[in-house]
């Protein structure tokens, strides 16, 4: 949650108290509460303003020589704030003025800040400053910070002191993707080819292709896009399948209205069998076991799937309670974890995964 105006002023006052310890009284500013600003004897002013969208109109028309934006990670409409409010205020400042933005990174991959800061990094206007860069931080201060957070590997220490983005592990669908799960493989003799389709609707339409056999299931190819038609599915499906041998099994997620799509695909020679993976929570449990046991492996070329597995999160309701469905994450480019859904379809319907895991899925019925 973004700090309120009162909180921001309280924090600033504390900082100013430290900064002004050695300031001669004749040069010291006075804080004027009614105007929420420090006023210096020479006429200079440091004013505080709320960056909340409903209060930004109060900054319009102002002139300034510089602006400092704190806790940018929590701000809404960053581009609008900088372009429509801060920019015009600094238009007549010498040298174009200076904008200094400071924040710890958000733990949410969907935060607007992530999109904004990526452009700043590419433009060379980004600097990461950690506790290790603070020459004034004594060993005692650092040790206390570590103790306060509970250790150097704790999320709060990594975020607040090392400026690392630290998504909450309890919300991650796959908290840790095993490194041995990503591997290049040659297709062995005697395996069966498969393709899995997660129809997108308003989300991404996702296709995965690979093979499965006694050694498990391997993902060799992928495709995902939004706003596609049946022609695009067939064209890209055949592309990732190749033409070396026929695909024995094609699964598609049996969702509302998907029968029409199935018939359309079949008419184009791309027949698919309806399937489901059931409860997302149970299906993910099976996938995680399969990944840990190297029953399921993924080619490194499947970058979209790997990105989805590393970023996918469980959804939350309006009360902040975690739900048993995937979060829609358009900003991150993974849609509604659609490539993950396609993988679950294959994993939960593969007889070879079933046999390899044994007790893990013995209670699940064939679809």
């Amino acid at each position: 949650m973004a700090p309120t105006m009162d909180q921001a002023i309280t924090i600033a006052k504390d900082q100013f108290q430290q900064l002004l310890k050695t300031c001669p009284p004749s040069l010291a500013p006075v804080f004027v509460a009614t105007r929420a600003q420090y006023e210096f004897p020479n006429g200079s002013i440091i004013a505080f303003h709320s960056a909340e969208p409903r209060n930004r109109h109060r900054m319009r028309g102002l002139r300034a020589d510089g602006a400092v934006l704190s806790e940018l990670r929590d701000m809404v409409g960053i581009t609008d704030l900088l372009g429509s409010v801060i920019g015009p205020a600094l238009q007549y400042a010498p040298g174009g003025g200076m904008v200094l933005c400071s924040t710890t990174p958000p733990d949410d991959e969907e935060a607007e800040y992530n999109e904004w800061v990526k452009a700043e990094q590419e433009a060379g206007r980004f600097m990461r400053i950690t506790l290790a860069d603070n020459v004034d931080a004594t060993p005692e201060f650092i040790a206390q910070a570590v103790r306060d957070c509970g250790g150097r590997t704790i999320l709060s220490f990594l975020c607040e002191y090392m400026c690392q983005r630290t998504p909450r592990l309890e919300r991650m669908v796959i908290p840790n993707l095993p490194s041995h799960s990503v591997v290049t493989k040659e297709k062995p003799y005697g395996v069966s080819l498969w393709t899995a389709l997660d129809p997108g609707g308003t989300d991404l339409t996702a296709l995965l292709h690979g093979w499965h056999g006694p050694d498990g299931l391997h993902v060799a190819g992928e495709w995902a896009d939004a706003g596609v038609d049946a022609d695009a599915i067939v064209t890209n499906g055949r592309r990732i399948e190749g033409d070396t041998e026929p695909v024995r099994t094609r699964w598609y997620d049996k969702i509302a209205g998907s029968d029409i799509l199935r018939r359309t695909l079949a008419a184009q020679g791309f027949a698919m069998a309806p399937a489901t993976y059931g409860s997302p929570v149970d299906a993910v449990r099976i996938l995680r076991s399969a990944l840990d046991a190297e029953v399921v492996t993924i080619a490194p070329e499947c970058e979209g799937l790997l990105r989805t597995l590393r970023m996918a999160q469980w959804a939350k309701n309006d009360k902040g309670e975690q739900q048993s469905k995937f979060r829609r994450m358009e900003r991150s480019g993974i849609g509604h974890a659609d490539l993950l859904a396609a993988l679950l379809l294959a994993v939960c319907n593969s007889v070879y995964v079933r046999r390899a895991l044994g007790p893990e899925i013995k209670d699940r019925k064939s679809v």
Side-chain angles (χ1 to χ4, degrees):
M1 181 180 294
T4 65
M5 182 67 167
D6 289 341
Q7 287 174 316
I9 291 176
T10 299
I11 294 170
K13 279 185 173 181
D14 179 67
Q15 297 296 323
F16 266 83
Q17 187 176 11
Q18 303 301 317
L19 291 170
L20 297 172
K21 274 186 175 179
T22 58
C23 179
S26 60
L27 301 178
V30 174
F31 183 76
V32 181
T34 55
R35 293 191 286 273
Q37 61 188 33
Y38 278 98
E39 298 180 358
F40 291 78
N42 67 352
S44 298
I45 292 172
I46 297 178
F48 298 90
H49 296 277
S50 171
E52 293 181 1
R54 65 175 182 272
N55 295 322
R56 290 176 186 173
H57 66 279
R58 298 177 182 175
M59 287 190 278
R60 294 187 181 277
L62 296 178
R63 289 193 180 188
D65 293 322
V68 177
L69 281 71
S70 183
E71 295 300 332
L72 203 66
R73 55 174 279 172
D74 297 315
M75 289 186 185
V76 176
I78 297 174
T79 302
D80 175 69
L81 172 64
L82 291 168
S84 302
V85 179
I86 304 298
L90 302 181
Q91 188 174 10
Y92 298 101
M98 181 189 73
V99 181
L100 176 64
C101 303
S102 66
T103 186
T104 53
D107 56 21
D108 187 358
E109 283 286 352
E110 283 292 276
E112 184 182 349
Y113 166 84
N114 297 326
E115 209 168 284
W116 173 83
V117 80
K118 189 182 299 183
E120 296 301 300
Q121 290 174 311
E122 292 172 354
R125 295 190 293 262
F126 174 84
M127 181 181 295
R128 186 187 304 277
I129 302 174
T130 71
L131 181 61
D133 300 311
N134 187 349
V135 295
D136 294 324
T138 64
E140 293 76 19
F141 179 89
I142 296 174
Q144 184 62 51
V146 173
R147 284 195 298 270
D148 290 343
C149 294
R152 291 180 177 272
T153 60
I154 302 301
L155 297 184
S156 57
F157 182 82
L158 294 175
C159 175
E160 300 298 328
Y161 292 99
M162 301 309 294
C163 292
Q164 294 182 20
R165 182 175 295 123
T166 52
R168 301 299 173 185
L169 293 182
E170 69 275 7
R171 193 170 182 182
M172 304 302 292
V173 175
I174 308 292
N176 294 292
L177 180 65
S179 58
H180 62 241
S181 300
V182 185
V183 60
T184 299
K185 285 187 174 182
E186 291 292 331
K187 182 169 68 66
Y189 176 78
V191 296
S192 299
L193 299 183
W194 60 266
T195 297
L197 166 67
D198 179 63
T202 58
D203 297 306
L204 295 176
T205 290
L207 274 169
L208 292 178
H209 173 67
W211 64 80
H212 58 160
D215 292 334
L217 180 143
H218 183 68
V219 185
E222 66 172 12
W223 172 76
D225 204 352
V228 303
D229 56 16
D231 289 343
I233 294 174
V234 173
T235 299
N236 287 282
R238 287 176 175 156
R239 177 180 57 80
I240 65 173
E241 287 180 352
D243 56 3
T244 55
E245 59 184 278
V247 178
R248 296 182 57 183
T249 305
R250 292 192 186 104
W251 297 291
Y252 82 99
D253 195 0
K254 189 179 179 182
I255 60 176
S258 59
D259 282 344
I260 298 174
L261 174 61
R262 179 179 63 84
R263 290 195 294 270
T264 304
L265 295 176
Q268 298 189 44
F270 201 76
M272 308 202 80
T276 182
Y277 54 80
S279 161
V281 173
D282 291 340
V284 166
R285 174 178 57 81
I286 293 169
L287 172 60
R288 289 172 63 173
S289 297
L291 290 168
D292 289 340
E294 297 184 66
V295 171
V296 169
T297 54
I298 304 163
E301 293 80 14
C302 297
E303 296 178 357
L305 174 59
L306 293 173
R307 176 176 170 81
T308 300
L309 292 175
R310 292 182 174 117
M311 296 180 63
Q313 298 179 11
W314 296 108
K316 286 188 176 182
N317 59 22
D318 293 338
K319 296 180 181 179
E321 299 166 333
Q322 193 156 295
Q323 298 178 295
S324 58
K325 62 180 182 180
F326 304 133
R327 182 184 182 190
R328 186 168 277 104
M329 300 174 65
E330 290 94 342
R331 286 185 187 277
S332 301
I334 67 171
H336 199 203
D338 306 284
L339 282 164
L340 167 60
L343 178 59
L344 292 176
L345 205 62
V347 168
C348 293
N349 287 278
S350 169
V351 64
Y352 296 105
V353 172
R354 232 174 251 282
R355 290 171 182 168
L357 290 182
E360 279 288 340
I361 54 176
K362 67 179 181 179
D363 296 327
R364 291 183 58 88
K365 297 179 180 179
S366 297
V367 178

